[in-house]
Amino acid sequence: MPTTDDLPPLDVLLPVEHAGERLDPRPDEAELLGLFTDRMPVDPPRGVHVRANMVSSLDGAATGADRRSGSINDPADHRVFRVLRALADVVLVGGGTVRAEHYSALEVPAGLEEARRALGRSPEIELAVVTAGADLPGALLDGPRPPIVITTSQSPGLDQVRDRVGPERVIVTESDTPGVVDLRVALAALGARGLSHVLAEGGPSLLGQLLEADLVDELCATSSPVLVGGPAPRIVARHDWLDPARAVRPLHLLHSDGVLLGRWQVVRLGA
C-alpha cells in the first residue's frame, strides 16, 4: 500500500458550492474527514449506520483478473479508504472476501488516531466476518485479535469457531432460509455492543444481501479508469433484480487523475 507521502490531492466536483476546491493530503486528513462526517449521524436512529465502500473498473468489474479488488484500486482510492476505516467502529466483510483479500486484524491508519479519538471511537477497529459455514483462515481465528464471527446455528463449524475465538465473539443468527445469515439480527447485535458505525467492505454478495434487506445508508463507490473485461462480478451481486431498485442521492464526488470517488446516500424504502 502507498505511504502517506504517496497519496494524491483530490479535486472536489460535487457539491457544486465546493466545486474546484482541492484537498491536499495532510497527516490528520482534517478536510477529508470533515467531508465524510458531514450528515453522518452521531447516534444512528436505527442503532447502526451502515456505509459500504466498493471499487470497480470503468467496465463495471469489482475485481481484476486475480479476483481481488486490490488490483483495480489506486492511491486516490486508498486515501479515502484510510479515512473510512478511521471513522468505523467495525468493518463488516463476507467470508469469501476475507479469504481472497487476506484480511487480518485491523489497525487505525497512521496519523488518524487522534481524529478517531476526538470522534469518540474506540482505539481499535473491530473486524466482523459474515460466514454461513464459519470457514475462516486459522491465522485470523487464532491471532491475538480474532474477528467477530457472524454465522448461523446450522453452521458445521460453529462449535469449533466458538472454541477458537471465544463464544462472546460469535453472533449466531437464524433465518427463514437455512444456512443464510440474518443480517438484520447481526447488525442489531453489533449495535448492542456499541459498534454503531459499520463499514461494509464487501464483497459483492454481501452488499447485495445488505441492499436486499434495506440495511445500507451510504455507498462510497470508486470508479477506477481501467478496463478489465472478464467474468468479474459487479459491486452488487444478486441473482434477482432489486425490487424496487434502490434510489441514491449524491453527497459528494471527488476526482484524481481519472479516478472518480463518489459518496451516495441510499434512500431507504419507505423514506
Side-chain angles (χ1 to χ4, degrees):
M1 287 187 177
T3 66
T4 305
D5 292 338
D6 298 325
L7 299 178
L10 301 172
D11 299 315
V12 180
L13 303 183
L14 291 174
V16 292
E17 59 268 25
H18 295 290
E21 293 181 6
R22 180 185 175 98
L23 306 179
D24 289 315
R26 296 171 43 176
D28 63 2
E29 288 290 21
E31 293 176 305
L32 203 51
L33 282 161
L35 268 182
F36 282 99
T37 53
D38 182 42
R39 304 194 197 185
M40 184 179 186
V42 176
D43 296 308
R46 298 180 181 86
V48 293
H49 177 266
V50 179
R51 171 184 277 163
N53 184 38
M54 301 290 286
V55 61
S56 65
S57 65
L58 191 60
D59 55 338
T63 73
D66 61 356
R67 311 287 178 171
R68 299 178 63 187
S69 63
S71 60
I72 59 171
N73 63 18
D74 79 337
D77 182 61
H78 181 61
R79 186 176 169 196
V80 167
F81 170 88
R82 296 176 71 251
V83 165
L84 296 182
R85 280 268 180 102
L87 291 172
D89 292 316
V90 57
V91 170
L92 183 71
V93 193
T97 297
V98 162
R99 291 186 290 271
E101 303 282 351
H102 306 298
Y103 271 69
S104 58
L106 306 179
E107 303 294 338
V108 177
L112 301 183
E113 298 90 349
E114 183 53 43
R116 182 177 173 83
R117 280 193 292 269
L119 291 166
R121 304 290 193 270
S122 165
E124 294 183 344
I125 307 171
E126 289 280 9
L127 174 64
V129 184
V130 178
T131 167
D135 177 21
L136 296 174
L140 180 63
L141 294 176
D142 299 331
R145 291 175 51 212
I148 296 170
V149 179
I150 301 171
T151 189
T152 74
S153 60
Q154 296 90 15
S155 168
L158 178 57
D159 290 339
Q160 183 184 52
V161 81
R162 276 177 168 155
D163 290 341
R164 295 178 82 163
V165 305
E168 72 284 354
R169 297 192 67 77
V170 179
I171 295 172
V172 179
T173 75
E174 303 292 346
S175 172
D176 294 336
T177 305
V180 175
V181 172
D182 187 326
L183 292 173
R184 290 184 182 277
V185 171
L187 289 173
L190 292 175
R193 296 173 182 225
L195 304 175
S196 300
H197 296 284
V198 179
L199 178 63
E201 292 184 352
S205 294
L206 177 61
L207 179 54
Q209 292 165 28
L210 288 166
L211 286 167
E212 177 65 28
D214 194 32
L215 296 171
V216 181
D217 296 290
E218 287 185 22
L219 172 62
C220 294
T222 295
S223 177
S224 184
V226 295
L227 302 170
V228 300
R234 295 181 295 172
I235 62 171
V236 178
R238 295 287 302 163
H239 294 297
D240 302 318
W241 300 96
L242 289 172
D243 185 18
R246 304 301 189 260
V248 297
R249 298 172 181 150
L251 295 176
H252 67 241
L253 181 63
L254 309 176
H255 168 264
S256 174
D257 196 25
V259 180
L260 293 173
L261 305 108
R263 178 187 174 209
W264 305 84
Q265 179 187 7
V266 180
V267 180
R268 303 287 288 266
L269 299 180

